[in-house]
Amino acid sequence: MSQLQGILTRLINLREQANGGEIPQRFFEVNGQRICSVKYHAKTETYELEVYQDGEKPKSYQFDNIDMIAIEIFELIN
């Protein structure tokens, strides 16, 4: 399985876990260091990407397209 397919699978699972209760979240790491996290908001059907950078506040981005967020995550972890 390619790395991009693995990201898409995790995002699909995240969306399927959204049940109206807690907002599901997944972390993406490289060599044990958190690069970003993703939350899925079922009400708005959007993904929230939070990007971590050393010494800075995390930056948040909203996506309504699973392919676009998957590509963004792929670029961040490579």
Side-chain angles (χ1 to χ4, degrees):
M1 177 186 324
S2 74
Q3 192 173 22
L4 188 56
Q5 182 61 43
I7 293 168
L8 277 168
T9 300
R10 291 181 73 189
L11 292 173
I12 291 167
N13 290 338
L14 187 69
R15 182 177 60 205
E16 290 172 353
Q17 288 178 349
N19 58 9
E22 287 188 35
I23 297 172
Q25 182 175 19
R26 289 274 191 271
F27 294 96
F28 292 86
E29 300 178 350
V30 174
N31 298 326
Q33 180 180 356
R34 283 189 181 166
I35 304 299
C36 63
S37 68
V38 178
K39 295 178 185 175
Y40 181 73
H41 301 276
K43 282 186 177 181
T44 58
E45 297 182 356
T46 59
Y47 293 90
E48 179 182 355
L49 175 66
E50 194 166 75
V51 179
Y52 307 115
Q53 294 178 341
D54 290 335
E56 293 183 27
K57 291 177 89 174
K59 295 179 182 168
S60 294
Y61 305 93
Q62 300 290 323
F63 293 86
D64 61 359
N65 183 304
I66 194 170
D67 295 328
M68 295 304 292
I69 190 170
I71 291 169
E72 188 68 29
I73 294 167
F74 180 79
E75 290 177 354
L76 285 169
I77 62 176
N78 283 308

